[in-house]
Amino acid sequence: MNSWSRARKRIVLSIVILAVIVLVGLPAYFFFYQTPTCSDGVMNSDETGVDCGGSCQHLCSAESLPLIMRGDPRILMIATSTYEVVAVLENPNPAAEIYRAQYTLKLFDLTSALPVKVIEGATFIPKGQTLAIFEGPFTLGEEIMPARATLEWYKDSLVWRKNGNAEPELKVNDVKLSKTDLSPRLEANLENASLGDGSNVDLIALISDEEGNIFAASKTFVDSLSSRERAPLIFSWPRAFKSAAIGIQIIPRIFPDSSFLR
């Protein structure tokens, strides 16, 4: 067989192989190929972890800072056998939030290693803000005197997601506390100082003594607040304060939807 014949056979064979690739291989590739997504359970594309990082909305654990607790949760007695508990924390991530973080609050008395009450809850963690978790009022037996509380997170629920959107700028003005020796009443105005509208606004008022210890808390909410609109706020307590109200803090938080308001 001469060299031309061998070359012709190689050319024919190459054409046949190319035809098979074009007619069979490419359709099969496009049939079975799946475009990488941020929910396919595989680390692909520009992801830095499985379905997180890169262009995905969810951040990987190593890309986010942990939540910071501002002291232990405070147990507050508002009436005989009736209590509230409040925890203050900070999200140090300026552009990341958690849609629904699940937690457990446990209340203990001075003698028992077992909690006298367990509260399961979930909350929204806004980006780069101080926030308060408030539970109550609830009633315990007359013989139960809760002395301390702990807050534990369900780690699987701490899913950080990016948020680069501008948030409405809320300002609390004209704060006035009165009737502290009878039935305390805290009044203020909430102003939406931004051009965009706001809705589902949760507000928690914290009253602290000269040492910075929170001894009273209350909450309210505003359904909606248009641009440049102001809304009156009222917080109240059923009995006189036993400590001098030195510090007053009102913490607003915009929830992503009304399911968080309660």
Side-chain angles (χ1 to χ4, degrees):
M1 183 180 294
N2 58 38
S3 59
W4 163 244
S5 177
R6 289 194 298 269
R8 184 175 60 184
K9 287 185 176 181
R10 285 197 296 268
I11 293 173
V12 172
L13 181 60
S14 298
I15 293 173
V16 171
I17 293 173
L18 180 61
V20 171
I21 293 174
V22 172
L23 298 177
V24 178
L26 286 180
Y29 171 81
F30 287 113
F31 180 79
F32 291 104
Y33 174 76
Q34 294 183 347
T35 303
T37 68
C38 293
S39 58
D40 55 14
V42 179
M43 180 179 170
N44 46 30
S45 187
D46 64 345
E47 297 173 358
T48 55
V50 177
D51 295 339
C52 63
S55 57
C56 293
Q57 185 183 25
H58 289 165
L59 295 178
C60 297
S61 298
E63 298 174 318
S64 59
L65 297 172
L67 295 169
I68 301 171
M69 289 291 299
R70 296 303 185 192
D72 295 329
R74 299 285 296 180
I75 301 172
L76 311 171
M77 176 184 284
I78 58 173
T80 303
S81 301
T82 303
Y83 300 88
E84 299 168 337
V85 60
V86 63
V88 181
L89 56 146
E90 180 184 344
N91 175 11
N93 298 284
E97 64 186 20
I98 301 175
Y99 175 68
R100 195 178 292 273
Q102 296 176 300
Y103 59 84
T104 301
L105 278 165
K106 296 180 180 180
L107 280 65
F108 301 85
D109 62 16
L110 291 174
T111 58
S112 176
L114 298 176
V116 296
K117 185 173 181 63
V118 177
I119 302 171
E120 302 280 349
T123 193
F124 171 66
I125 308 292
K127 61 179 183 179
Q129 292 185 27
T130 297
L131 63 142
I133 294 175
F134 182 97
E135 292 285 354
F138 50 85
T139 302
L140 300 175
E142 292 185 4
E143 73 284 359
I144 298 175
M145 295 290 292
R148 64 183 181 90
T150 62
L151 174 65
E152 300 172 3
W153 297 103
Y154 285 89
K155 292 185 179 179
D156 290 344
S157 73
L158 300 182
V159 180
W160 292 98
R161 63 182 188 181
K162 301 173 186 176
N163 182 356
N165 299 325
E167 300 291 339
E169 181 184 0
L170 302 180
K171 295 182 178 180
V172 178
N173 304 312
D174 309 321
V175 179
K176 180 183 178 182
L177 179 63
S178 61
K179 302 180 181 179
T180 57
D181 58 346
L182 185 61
S183 54
R185 179 184 176 93
L186 178 62
E187 300 176 71
N189 284 305
L190 178 67
E191 178 187 0
N192 182 358
S194 57
L195 297 177
D197 297 340
S199 59
N200 306 316
V201 184
D202 174 81
L203 298 113
I204 296 178
L206 305 175
I207 311 297
S208 55
D209 59 22
E210 61 183 358
E211 296 180 350
N213 297 315
I214 298 170
F215 66 84
S218 183
K219 70 179 297 182
T220 188
F221 63 88
V222 175
D223 288 326
S224 62
L225 198 63
S226 301
S227 173
R228 307 303 181 185
E229 184 181 4
R230 293 163 64 95
L233 305 176
I234 298 176
F235 305 89
S236 60
W237 291 266
R239 65 180 188 178
F241 289 161
K242 294 183 178 180
S243 301
I246 303 301
I248 300 174
Q249 184 179 17
I250 299 177
I251 303 175
R253 180 169 34 152
I254 299 177
F255 286 138
D257 56 68
S258 60
S259 67
F260 293 92
L261 295 175
R262 54 187 176 87

